Amino acid sequence: MAALRLAAIRQHLLRGVDLDIDAGELVFLSGPSGSGKSLLLRAIADLDPHEGEVWLGAEARSGMAPPLWRRRVGLLPAESFWWGETVGEHLPRGGSAAQITDWLQALGFAPDVLTWSVMRLSTGERQRLALVRLLAQQPEALLLDEATANLDPANRDQVERLIETYRRLNQTSVLWVSHDPAQRQRLGARAYVIRDGLLVAEP
């Protein structure tokens, strides 16, 4: 896997964000509502207009087709979008099926969850299943927008363990928006806050 590097990312709320995340490193991001946290993740994923460049290892985002970039640098939004009728329609079949089953079990789901209607899913179930859907793309970097918000402690812990396992096994760089100081302390990572459009390191 590869490091993720942000160089002078600018948007209407961001005044030039620079950040290096090593391969296999987790970095937390927080800040007041409306400070630009989600906008930064969307800019990195090349979903919104912005200035600046992002690098995955030695490869610049500007030199890569957007669909390929978004598979390699995967964004988990705070609210996931579902387009098919069943959960299984959103997950690949074939060689990754066994791995997907393992991830589902790690999050407390039986394999038959793939036959469930998306309409029956609770907010927390959608949140956890969206993580499995993202990991199924085998991203080399993860952008997580409040990945455990609205989850009870047991489900939160399962999600944290799965993300940490994926990160360590694949040496994935992770940028995680979280407002939970206990979570940041529990997982023991560098942390930054967005203030006036700039990143400020937390002590």
Side-chain angles (χ1 to χ4, degrees), residues 1-6 19-30 37 40-41 44 54-57 72-77 131 134-135 138-148 159-178 183-184 187-192 199:
M1 293 295 180
L4 188 68
R5 179 163 63 91
L6 317 183
L19 180 64
D20 290 344
I21 305 175
D22 292 336
E25 184 182 15
L26 166 63
V27 172
F28 278 115
L29 179 63
S30 63
K37 303 179 299 297
L40 177 59
L41 297 190
I44 296 168
V54 184
W55 300 79
L56 184 65
R72 296 180 65 184
V73 180
L75 170 64
L76 183 68
L131 174 61
L134 178 63
L135 296 184
Q138 297 289 328
E140 298 170 53
L142 287 174
L143 310 172
L144 308 176
D145 197 350
E146 295 286 1
T148 57
V159 168
E160 287 181 357
R161 284 194 295 269
L162 179 55
I163 292 170
E164 284 293 276
T165 298
Y166 184 89
R167 176 175 71 86
R168 289 172 177 159
L169 287 177
N170 298 285
Q171 284 297 287
T172 305
S173 49
V174 180
L175 181 59
W176 189 336
V177 170
S178 172
Q183 181 175 66
R184 301 198 294 271
L187 298 181
R190 274 197 295 155
Y192 291 84
L199 285 189

Side-chain angles (χ1 to χ4, degrees), residues 54-195:
V54 184
W55 300 79
L56 184 65
E59 298 181 78
R61 184 198 50 210
S62 59
M64 197 178 301
L68 176 57
W69 177 264
R70 292 168 194 152
R71 283 196 299 273
R72 296 180 65 184
V73 180
L75 170 64
L76 183 68
E79 295 185 12
S80 58
F81 175 69
W82 298 79
W83 54 89
E85 292 186 6
T86 67
V87 172
E89 292 176 56
H90 302 86
L91 294 166
R93 302 288 183 172
S96 61
Q99 180 68 82
I100 289 171
T101 298
D102 289 344
W103 289 333
L104 290 171
Q105 290 177 342
L107 296 181
F109 293 106
D112 70 346
V113 72
L114 298 178
T115 67
W116 289 10
S117 167
V118 170
M119 296 297 293
R120 69 169 276 188
L121 299 176
S122 68
T123 299
E125 288 169 337
R126 289 186 184 219
Q127 195 167 17
R128 290 180 286 145
L129 289 167
L131 174 61
V132 174
R133 183 177 70 187
L134 178 63
L135 296 184
Q137 300 294 326
Q138 297 289 328
E140 298 170 53
L142 287 174
L143 310 172
L144 308 176
D145 197 350
E146 295 286 1
T148 57
N150 305 315
L151 296 181
D152 61 47
N155 285 319
R156 177 205 64 204
D157 291 348
Q158 289 177 335
V159 168
E160 287 181 357
R161 284 194 295 269
L162 179 55
I163 292 170
E164 284 293 276
T165 298
Y166 184 89
R167 176 175 71 86
R168 289 172 177 159
L169 287 177
N170 298 285
Q171 284 297 287
T172 305
S173 49
V174 180
L175 181 59
W176 189 336
V177 170
S178 172
H179 288 292
D180 185 354
Q183 181 175 66
R184 301 198 294 271
Q185 183 176 19
R186 202 163 46 243
L187 298 181
R190 274 197 295 155
Y192 291 84
V193 60
I194 294 184
R195 291 182 184 152

